[in-house]
Amino acid sequence: MKQMVELTVNGEKKRIYVRPAATLLNTLREELGLTGAKPGCENGDCGACTINFDGRPMKSCLTLSIEAVDHQVTTIEGLIDTPIQQAFVKQFAFQCGYCTSGFIMNCHALAELYPNANEYQIKDWLQSNICRCTGYEEIEAAITEVLKNKAIEDTPS
Amino acid sequence: MIGKSVPRKEGNNKVTGAAKYTNDFSVAGLLHAKLLTSPHAHATIKSIDVREAKKCPGVRAIVTGVDYPILTGSAIEDRPILALEKVRYFGEPIAVVVADTEYEAQNACTFIKVEYEILPVVNTVEEALEGKHPLVHEEFKNYTQVKELRPDPTRNVSNHVTVRKGNINEGRTLSDITVEIDVSFPQSDHAAMETRSVRAEILPSGEVYLHSSSQAPFTIKQSIGKYFNINENKVIVHTPLVGGAFGGKAAIQLELIAYAASKAVGGKLVTLTNTREDDMVSSPVHIGMSANVKLGATNQGELIMAEIKFLFDSGAYVDEASDITTTAALNCTGPYKINHVWCDSYCVYTNHPYSTSFRGYGHSELGFAIERAMEILANKLKIDPMELRIKNAIKPGDTTPSQAPLTKGNIGNTAKCLERVKELINWEEGQVVPISDRIIKAKGISSLWKTSMSPTNASTGAIITFNKDGTMNLNVGVVEMGQGTKTTLTQLLAESMKVDESKIHVKMEVDTQTSPRHWKTVASTATFMAGNAVLEAAEDAKRQLKNNAAYALRCKPEELEVGEARVYLKSNPKSNVNVKDVAHGYKYENGNAVGSLVIGHGSFMMNHLTKKDPQTGKGVPGPAWTVGAQAVEVEFDTKTFFYKITKAVTVLDVGKVINPKGARGQVTGAMCMGLSWASREGFTFDENGIVLNNQFRTYKTIRYNENPKYIVEFLETPQSDGPYGARGLGEHGVIGMPAALANSLSAAAGVPINQLPIVPESIWRQKRGGVYDINKF
Amino acid sequence: MISINFEYHRPHSISEALEMFGELHAKGKEPIFYNGGTEIITMMRIHSLYTEARAVIDIKTIPECTYTGFQGDRLVIGSSIPLAQLQEMPEFPLLGKTCSRIADHTSREKITIGGNICGTIKYKEAVLPLLLTDCDLVIAGDNGINEIPIQQVFDKHMLLAPGSFVVQVLVKKQFLDLPYVSKKMTRIDRIGYPLLTVSALKTGEQARFAFSGLCDFPFRSNSVEDALNNQDWSVQERITNAISQLPAPLLGDAEGSAAYREFVLRNVLEESIAELKGG
Ligand SMILES: Cc1cc2nc3c(=O)[nH]c(=O)nc-3n(C[C@H](O)[C@H](O)[C@H](O)COP(=O)(O)OP(=O)(O)OC[C@H]3O[C@@H](n4cnc5c(N)ncnc54)[C@H](O)[C@@H]3O)c2cc1C
Ligand code: FES
Ligand code: FES
């Protein structure tokens, strides 16, 4: 019933046995020990399980692991000292931290793909995640700071 | 260190995915448990057939109610671990399947056949009070009461609390004017992002190990001991980081099921994690309420009397609801001086999910009722609602509804908070200001207060040990669930020891075997209680350091002081010794060692609390009252009744701000939760008591950018016995938000809005003069 | 976590997909086509749909299904294109706007247009622009690959023969940049199922309207359109008449009561008519 697949996660190729019915969220957490992506609803509603899939944000609870074959998966564990992680700490953009990986992965993709994102796009993207602890003020500060710095960096001098 | 925005100690782990929560654990051989829950709100269980399910692949055991015919509950033992004979709410756990994998357990659940006989549903508190049959608990009289309750089992009442202050008849006579209103809101959910999760293992030695995402690890220990007849000292509970709790994780539920599940497989390690659907309805929820408030005042706006009736929807089991009923009664007036107060507060059974504590613990609920009444009183008196509140704000020298004396040391300055809110929301501009032909801007305000009702002897402790390099380890029994207490406590210790907070390693996990017992991480009491314990432990450590240093510096300990990682002579700080050289005794150059290893310990116990009088409610329910004032500004479309919450203000008298950015975050987070609850949250029950919105898809919470702009300020009227004067602040931001929102929208729409949640449809119904009941359609 | 076990197949061509379906069907595996998978995963998890399926056929690697671009005078949209991509596609702004309000952005990275219109959810909001533009659907099945006008295969939901699937959506260029409105109203704020969604397109003097959330299926109705376009009536009269022509009673559910839906519908139609007139 389980099937051998080769997944590319955080740049590493992993050969593992998975059930075709296993979601990527299940596999990351249980087979690969990458528990940064969290189950908050397993229904696509909360965003706590967000990862990057070929650089785009994706809810890993809405994806079968086997669908990830031939694609690049990045999890929070694959981000090291990125501007958005630093900004989250600096801006106090989390409390319990349970929504944090998902928010960061979504923000990270946004900053990488659309450094010039306008307010509407930021809202459109970030409304995919729920944070129950903060009032979102600090998260807004964090993403705004990162995009602002990114825009400055990207402007040719 | 005090007053510095220290980033949370576990921050880097949380932004890298390294922070571990209860369910972030797997090991070969770990067994998985899944719940089968009831599809009905009220039904007799005629039979449960598990034969097919047992044959499913991977299944190791199935436990049902009859295997553990025990009743549990913190106030009254009314709740079976798994449904026994009947189910009393939609989502009630009926059976637990243990299997090799989660999916096999889940799969087997679908093969369990349960035969039900459907019973009529008690679907509202009003129906319940009519004594609608069958009662939710026919066997009530046989239950064991743990706390003092005044039940009326024939009317589904588990507790009736009365407050009698002054003379209500005199109050009625003295009042020139009275107003009366009915308010209500359905039950809702805490909806912490981490669903409840627990892991249990029973060792051959008889030791029981539990890991639980809980606010009350020490209570779990007690409960497992009590219900399963095990010596409590054999029960060891670990609580790692918790992914949000908001009161919902103080109840003991899954722990009991997980123990039973592990027992059924010979004590093997079993994990049980709620699905979101189960977490929303099978596990306990935020209480619902219907209330009637009458306020009497003089023509000049002096409050004279309050007559209040609260009907709390405890759902199918009491859990904390009876205490919430009590707290709401004892503080029923909000922060206003009223001499004649009658309150009847009822805790009522229905066939709804069962209710437990929620951020604010009765105060948000009572606040909504009283603050809506204040607004209507102001309108009737034609007095500015702000002025009415300021005029009647409670002060030292007054007494609470339970006749607790208020002093400078135990209550902050409500009037001052209101005055500040008045400026911050630009009240002078007017409560309703048109901004276009369709859109109007409207404001609503609310005062708030909160005390923390704890057992009269709630206690806590702190232990400080030293590393070789002189840095400290701090161990307390407080759970870190996002409120940042561990960082705050670190700051208190750093302040006391006069070192940088980076020199302190605070243990995040609670381990009941090694962490000092802490009552429960609830009621915003952690900073107050544990903070005092930490300061005492710091003093203890300093005393020991001085003793050791006295050998080194050849002086008396009393001549010494500790600071900046040194112990020095007060008279000559240049004569000093490093803490690291005296923390583990002192070694003379010749190798001789003297003194002793330094272990600082401190403890704190709530004191001066008294039990309430059963007739009048008289008593001191909590150590202090935090007060504050709040405001909301909305932009309201008079055509569509859609609205946007544009601004929200909180001014809170917190005694002392220890971590400004952290404190602001606690308050804005709570404000957001209060607004989310008031504007969109609440269970929708169909006529059979089935919850229609048990997923985030349909149970909406505020999302990014739907939040208002926040304005938060703190007053610092010190609490005399708080650590550096600090009071708790974790819950308070919630309390006034529902009333402030309802007040703003009532002003905007020109109709009274007394029901939550306030979706545009509710305003539309009120405008049409229709009967409002969001629970029915 | 899905407790049902199934096989996963990934065909690389239409014919391979059809063949696979036949074989798996013959083996009694009750195969289903798998696109974004969001409905399949979430419904299987709660055991509410697809509980018999023992094989899924992922059509996302079939080149035709992921193609977008112009062919002749038609815009081709592969059925596996995720809604998030459509949202950013400038060629068909009405579709982009409508899709931009389905679910949330991250979910839209996964939900496909084919899955949305072929799924069981009663809203299927992405179908509204397709109904308005008289698009053709490329459907592959036992009878080969055929272009079929959407009106022929969509009535409340897709009417597909077992074993056939939607490969592409073909939209005539002439419809792409007509004036349009697309409005989604929810119980509160942006994210959530619709109380109602209205998409409308102005074709000459006439306007076309399609609705989701009003009844328990999405629809476009001639009699509703006739009423809304009747220039002899005032706007209010047109709306009242249109409401009397709805193909089914107004929905009353947890998102909102039927009477409230009517109230919201009136406001939205009024605004839409005004905007189309201006546009
Ligand atoms: C968080 C969230 C919020 C949502 N909110 C909304 C909303 O507001 N409005 C709304 O309309 N929907 C909403 N949905 C539902 C969503 O629309 C469905 O889950 C989605 O449309 C299914 O698309 P999919 O590509 O994932 O399809 P799949 O899950 O792959 O398939 C769904 C069904 O369609 C069939 N199918 C798929 N593609 C084809 C094809 N090309 N030919 C034939 N049959 C096919 C499948 O066999 C299956 O039966 C929401 C979903 C989520 C997760
Ligand atoms: S767990 Fe995936 S969206 Fe909630
Ligand atoms: S920090 Fe707790 S949910 Fe966002």
Side-chain angles (χ1 to χ4, degrees):
Chain A
M1 189 177 41
K2 281 194 174 183
Q3 195 171 323
M4 223 261 289
V5 294
E6 187 180 273
L7 301 185
T8 312
V9 180
N10 299 331
E12 296 174 358
K13 286 200 176 4
K14 304 270 186 187
R15 288 176 166 219
I16 45 170
Y17 286 90
V18 299
R19 292 166 61 225
T23 62
L24 184 54
L25 176 64
N26 297 150
T27 300
L28 290 172
R29 292 174 54 81
E30 286 148 35
E31 306 295 331
L32 297 175
L34 299 171
T35 55
K38 302 288 183 223
C41 68
E42 297 192 77
N43 198 48
D45 298 319
C46 76
C49 66
T50 305
I51 48 116
N52 289 174
F53 196 89
D54 295 334
R56 300 196 65 92
M58 191 71 91
K59 289 177 174 171
S60 61
C61 73
L62 291 181
T63 308
L64 298 176
S65 338
I66 202 164
E67 280 183 270
V69 171
D70 299 333
H71 295 274
Q72 299 285 333
V73 173
T74 310
T75 70
I76 185 83
E77 290 88 349
L79 299 194
I80 294 159
D81 231 5
T82 59
I84 191 69
Q85 288 168 298
Q86 293 166 7
F88 262 60
V89 173
K90 181 177 153 205
Q91 299 292 352
F92 284 55
F94 54 91
Q95 291 175 20
C96 80
Y98 204 78
C99 69
T100 310
S101 311
F103 257 109
I104 288 181
M105 294 314 292
N106 196 7
C107 291
H108 180 72
L110 181 66
E112 292 294 311
L113 296 171
Y114 302 92
N116 298 313
N118 60 21
E119 231 175 88
Y120 177 82
Q121 193 177 14
I122 299 172
K123 163 170 121 176
D124 191 42
W125 280 49
L126 267 56
Q127 286 196 333
S128 306
N129 301 60
I130 299 174
C131 174
R132 192 62 168 161
C133 298
T134 74
Y136 298 103
E137 175 182 68
E138 303 90 341
I139 296 175
E140 184 177 350
I143 183 70
T144 311
E145 173 188 303
V146 167
L147 290 178
K148 206 172 87 200
N149 291 339
K150 195 105 185 153
I152 295 169
E153 249 171 57
D154 291 356
T155 318
S157 48
Chain B
M1 272 324 109
I2 304 289
K4 191 176 147 200
S5 290
V6 174
R8 50 177 67 241
K9 297 288 275 181
E10 76 285 15
N12 285 335
N13 296 343
K14 285 183 173 172
V15 296
T16 51
K20 294 279 185 236
Y21 302 78
T22 302
N23 190 30
D24 294 338
F25 172 90
S26 60
V27 67
L30 174 66
L31 296 174
H32 295 258
K34 275 283 162 198
L35 298 179
L36 176 72
T37 63
S38 169
H40 305 295
H42 204 184
T44 309
I45 300 174
K46 299 190 70 182
S47 65
I48 304 182
D49 181 353
V50 298
R51 283 170 299 179
E52 282 301 304
K54 276 209 164 142
K55 289 186 216 145
C56 288
V59 172
R60 299 297 157 219
I62 299 179
V63 185
T64 63
V66 290
D67 298 326
Y68 287 92
I70 320 166
L71 295 178
T72 71
S74 55
I76 178 164
E77 292 175 358
D78 58 357
R79 193 176 61 79
I81 295 171
L82 294 162
L84 265 175
E85 287 162 26
K86 75 173 192 170
V87 289
R88 296 185 177 84
Y89 69 97
F90 168 74
E92 181 162 4
I94 293 171
V96 59
V97 177
V98 186
D100 293 344
T101 63
E102 195 184 2
Y103 81 88
E104 286 167 323
Q106 170 84 53
N107 174 55
C109 282
T110 64
F111 289 87
I112 300 177
K113 295 194 194 78
V114 189
E115 223 186 310
Y116 297 98
E117 189 175 302
I118 311 274
L119 298 171
V121 172
V122 179
N123 213 4
T124 63
V125 284
E126 290 80 9
E127 278 174 17
L129 284 179
E130 286 162 13
K132 180 169 172 181
H133 271 270
L135 296 168
V136 180
H137 291 272
E138 302 284 357
E139 297 296 315
F140 187 90
K141 57 181 188 308
N142 301 329
Y143 293 165
T144 308
Q145 286 185 32
V146 185
K147 292 182 183 163
E148 275 172 39
L149 305 174
R150 259 170 64 191
D152 179 356
T154 59
R155 297 170 67 214
N156 289 303
V157 172
S158 60
N159 194 18
H160 173 194
V161 183
T162 47
V163 166
R164 302 288 181 260
K165 174 185 172 186
N167 180 330
I168 201 68
N169 287 324
E170 193 182 323
R172 290 190 190 122
T173 326
L174 292 175
S175 300
D176 299 325
I177 205 169
T178 56
V179 293
E180 174 174 0
I181 66 159
D182 292 305
V183 306
S184 69
F185 47 82
Q187 289 174 312
S188 51
D189 196 35
H190 308 82
M193 291 313 297
E194 177 204 26
T195 61
R196 295 160 177 95
S197 177
V198 52
R199 200 156 70 238
E201 182 175 29
I202 307 161
L203 298 185
S205 60
E207 281 167 329
V208 179
Y209 279 88
L210 282 134
H211 286 71
S212 179
S213 62
S214 169
Q215 292 173 264
F218 292 92
T219 317
I220 295 174
K221 196 172 150 79
Q222 250 176 325
S223 298
I224 296 277
K226 176 176 170 184
Y227 299 127
F228 298 106
N229 233 335
I230 306 166
N231 192 334
E232 194 195 312
N233 65 26
K234 296 247 177 194
V235 184
I236 297 142
V237 183
H238 289 252
T239 296
L241 295 171
V242 170
F246 318 117
K249 290 177 179 167
I252 313 295
Q253 181 199 32
L254 293 191
E255 293 83 359
L256 304 175
I257 300 177
Y259 173 85
S262 172
K263 187 85 185 164
V265 290
K268 291 201 185 99
L269 185 61
V270 175
T271 180
L272 171 61
T273 300
N274 269 348
T275 61
R276 176 56 61 185
E277 290 83 354
D278 287 350
D279 209 57
M280 280 209 174
V281 296
S282 298
S283 287
V285 305
H286 174 203
I287 210 159
M289 182 187 86
S290 292
N292 176 276
V293 182
K294 295 190 194 95
L295 289 181
T298 64
N299 284 329
Q300 289 69 45
E302 188 193 338
L303 284 171
I304 300 291
M305 70 106 191
E307 229 181 314
I308 299 171
K309 187 163 88 173
F310 294 126
L311 309 179
F312 282 105
D313 184 354
S314 79
Y317 301 105
V318 168
D319 199 76
E320 285 289 304
S322 61
D323 274 353
I324 296 167
T325 305
T326 307
T327 304
L330 300 184
N331 299 286
C332 61
T333 56
Y336 301 110
K337 181 196 174 200
I338 308 182
N339 288 339
H340 307 287
V341 181
W342 269 39
C343 178
D344 287 276
S345 188
Y346 298 85
C347 187
V348 185
Y349 282 125
T350 61
N351 289 120
H352 288 169
Y354 71 103
S355 305
T356 189
S357 50
F358 176 80
R359 217 173 188 177
Y361 206 85
H363 298 81
S364 341
E365 294 77 6
L366 78 88
F368 179 61
I370 205 78
E371 292 291 336
R372 280 298 298 138
M374 285 297 279
E375 195 78 3
I376 286 169
L377 179 65
N379 294 346
K380 193 158 177 192
L381 285 164
K382 300 206 165 38
I383 293 180
D384 180 302
M386 184 70 87
E387 293 314 312
L388 182 71
R389 287 177 171 86
I390 293 173
K391 186 180 173 109
N392 291 287
I394 208 158
K395 297 185 293 300
D398 299 336
T399 63
T400 71
S402 73
Q403 304 174 54
L406 295 172
T407 64
K408 268 199 172 138
N410 71 4
I411 190 157
N413 194 330
T414 314
K416 210 165 150 193
C417 292
L418 281 160
E419 299 279 7
R420 188 65 189 129
V421 164
K422 189 175 171 182
E423 290 163 17
L424 292 171
I425 196 78
N426 192 11
W427 187 254
E428 292 302 328
E429 173 194 40
Q431 192 172 7
V432 176
V433 182
I435 49 179
S436 77
D437 55 347
R438 238 169 87 172
I439 309 294
I440 54 182
K441 184 163 87 178
K443 296 161 195 169
I445 49 167
S446 171
S447 312
L448 67 93
W449 76 347
K450 179 169 188 302
T451 187
S452 297
M453 197 172 93
S454 60
T456 48
N457 61 349
S459 66
T460 191
I463 301 169
I464 300 165
T465 58
F466 287 81
N467 299 309
K468 273 280 179 207
D469 62 357
T471 61
M472 284 166 270
N473 305 304
L474 175 61
N475 185 358
V476 292
V478 176
V479 173
E480 179 55 57
M481 52 201 187
Q483 84 284 33
T485 310
K486 295 270 158 108
T487 306
T488 309
L489 295 176
T490 303
Q491 285 179 260
L492 292 173
L493 178 56
E495 177 78 20
S496 175
M497 302 298 292
K498 299 199 203 84
V499 292
D500 191 80
E501 89 283 333
S502 62
K503 303 286 183 240
I504 296 164
H505 307 280
V506 60
K507 186 172 151 77
M508 285 295 156
E509 188 186 68
V510 174
D511 170 355
T512 60
Q513 202 166 28
T514 54
S515 308
R517 187 175 198 97
H518 178 78
W519 170 53
K520 287 184 199 176
T521 309
V522 295
S524 309
T525 50
T527 302
F528 172 64
M529 290 178 56
N532 276 318
V534 166
L535 294 182
E536 193 182 293
E539 289 309 318
D540 186 41
K542 284 192 253 185
R543 186 186 50 77
Q544 297 175 43
L545 288 169
K546 288 179 204 166
N547 281 345
N548 289 351
Y551 294 107
L553 300 171
R554 297 174 203 279
C555 62
K556 289 203 192 115
E558 304 85 76
E559 295 168 51
L560 296 171
E561 190 61 79
V562 181
E564 266 116 49
R566 287 168 182 274
V567 187
Y568 55 87
L569 262 173
K570 284 184 219 171
S571 55
N572 175 20
K574 283 200 185 122
S575 172
N576 65 53
V577 57
N578 287 322
V579 162
K580 74 175 161 64
D581 298 326
V582 290
H584 302 87
Y586 180 71
K587 203 159 87 189
Y588 289 112
E589 259 157 40
N590 70 3
N592 285 352
V594 288
S596 60
L597 183 73
V598 177
I599 302 174
H601 79 271
S603 66
F604 181 79
M605 200 171 214
M606 286 284 191
N607 48 23
H608 311 309
L609 305 188
T610 57
K611 283 191 162 181
K612 70 171 173 49
D613 178 276
Q615 300 306 321
T616 62
K618 188 169 174 177
V620 181
W625 281 261
T626 301
V627 296
Q630 297 186 301
V632 164
E633 182 186 282
V634 293
E635 279 176 19
F636 177 73
D637 184 330
T638 52
K639 180 158 188 212
T640 61
F641 311 132
F642 282 58
Y643 65 90
K644 180 161 177 48
I645 307 170
T646 45
K647 220 183 255 177
V649 182
T650 297
V651 176
L652 204 59
D653 195 341
V654 295
K656 182 81 200 165
V657 182
I658 294 168
N659 184 321
K661 244 177 144 163
R664 182 184 168 90
Q666 285 303 302
V667 175
T668 55
M671 290 163 79
C672 186
M673 182 171 271
L675 289 170
S676 185
W677 165 36
S679 64
R680 64 204 71 194
E681 294 183 36
F683 288 127
T684 311
F685 296 95
D686 73 6
E687 69 277 11
N688 300 315
I690 308 302
V691 177
L692 299 178
N693 50 348
N694 62 349
Q695 297 184 327
F696 283 126
R697 191 76 60 84
T698 41
Y699 185 100
K700 302 198 190 177
T701 57
I702 284 188
R703 289 183 185 247
Y704 182 88
N705 198 259
E706 295 169 356
N707 57 288
K709 177 171 161 10
Y710 303 101
I711 301 171
V712 177
E713 282 193 9
F714 298 113
L715 298 188
E716 299 194 326
T717 311
Q719 173 169 342
S720 48
D721 54 356
Y724 295 100
R727 294 192 179 86
L729 54 76
E731 303 170 90
H732 306 78
V734 170
I735 297 173
M737 281 293 114
L741 180 69
N743 289 340
S744 71
L745 288 168
S746 300
V751 288
I753 294 171
N754 298 332
Q755 273 82 27
L756 303 178
I758 315 172
V759 291
E761 179 170 7
S762 359
I763 306 174
W764 167 80
R765 280 201 198 175
Q766 275 308 92
K767 285 298 267 187
R768 292 169 94 216
V771 185
Y772 175 91
D773 186 356
I774 190 73
N775 295 323
K776 304 240 163 61
F777 47 80
Chain C
M1 195 265 325
I2 300 170
S3 68
I4 296 162
N5 279 313
F6 52 77
E7 297 169 10
Y8 173 89
H9 299 276
R10 197 186 261 190
H12 294 275
S13 69
I14 297 175
S15 54
E16 195 189 344
L18 293 172
E19 243 166 69
M20 255 177 199
F21 191 96
E23 278 168 26
L24 292 164
H25 179 71
K27 286 192 201 154
K29 302 216 163 170
E30 309 268 349
I32 47 174
F33 290 111
Y34 181 101
N35 213 338
T38 63
E39 178 174 295
I40 296 173
I41 290 176
T42 54
M43 292 293 141
M44 267 189 179
R45 178 182 67 87
I46 56 171
H47 264 262
S48 120
L49 282 176
Y50 309 117
T51 51
E52 304 302 315
R54 292 296 172 268
V56 305
I57 301 170
D58 188 347
I59 58 174
K60 286 195 300 293
T61 28
I62 298 175
E64 288 87 343
C65 292
T66 53
Y67 177 84
T68 57
F70 284 99
Q71 277 176 2
D73 67 342
R74 294 190 297 191
L75 173 64
V76 180
I77 302 167
S79 80
S80 297
I81 301 295
L83 303 184
Q85 190 178 333
L86 295 173
Q87 182 181 353
E88 290 178 14
M89 199 172 76
E91 290 85 354
F92 191 1
L94 168 61
L95 182 65
K97 177 95 185 282
T98 309
C99 289
S100 78
R101 288 296 310 278
I102 297 173
D104 58 80
H105 175 268
T106 309
S107 297
R108 288 194 295 274
E109 292 279 355
K110 195 81 201 313
I111 298 171
T112 65
I113 182 163
N116 188 259
I117 65 175
C118 297
T120 57
I121 188 157
K122 64 184 169 203
Y123 306 114
K124 308 187 200 7
E125 291 169 84
V127 85
L128 305 186
L130 308 186
L131 292 173
L132 293 178
T133 51
D134 296 331
C135 74
D136 295 312
L137 298 181
V138 177
I139 296 177
D142 288 347
N143 313 330
I145 302 175
N146 298 295
E147 289 181 15
I148 305 178
I150 189 163
Q151 319 289 2
Q152 277 178 31
V153 281
F154 192 91
D155 179 19
K156 299 180 182 168
H157 51 89
M158 286 293 286
L159 311 165
L160 288 175
S164 55
F165 66 98
V166 177
V167 180
Q168 290 170 336
V169 177
L170 310 173
V171 189
K172 289 184 205 69
K173 258 184 186 165
Q174 69 198 74
F175 289 108
L176 297 178
D177 11 272
L178 295 176
Y180 69 92
V181 293
S182 177
K183 293 180 192 290
K184 173 167 179 165
M185 314 307 284
T186 57
R187 196 165 95 96
I188 192 164
D189 269 318
R190 278 180 87 248
I191 303 293
Y193 287 146
L195 257 175
L196 57 96
T197 299
V198 176
S199 291
L201 193 69
K202 196 170 172 188
T203 52
E205 283 313 299
Q206 301 286 302
R208 300 176 170 191
F209 292 85
F211 302 90
S212 164
L214 274 190
C215 306
D216 58 8
F217 49 86
F219 65 90
R220 182 183 160 198
S221 140
N222 286 337
S223 35
V224 169
E225 274 177 15
D226 289 346
L228 291 172
N229 281 309
N230 191 327
Q231 302 297 327
D232 300 336
W233 293 335
S234 73
V235 170
Q236 289 310 326
E237 283 169 337
R238 283 185 239 168
I239 293 172
T240 303
N241 262 286
I243 291 172
S244 70
Q245 297 294 329
L246 292 177
L250 279 163
L251 209 57
D253 61 11
E255 304 300 325
S257 64
Y260 179 62
R261 271 199 169 76
E262 179 177 333
F263 167 77
V264 175
L265 177 63
R266 282 179 182 277
N267 284 333
V268 171
L269 281 176
E270 204 182 300
E271 270 177 39
S272 305
I273 290 171
E275 279 175 36
L276 284 177
K277 203 167 165 198

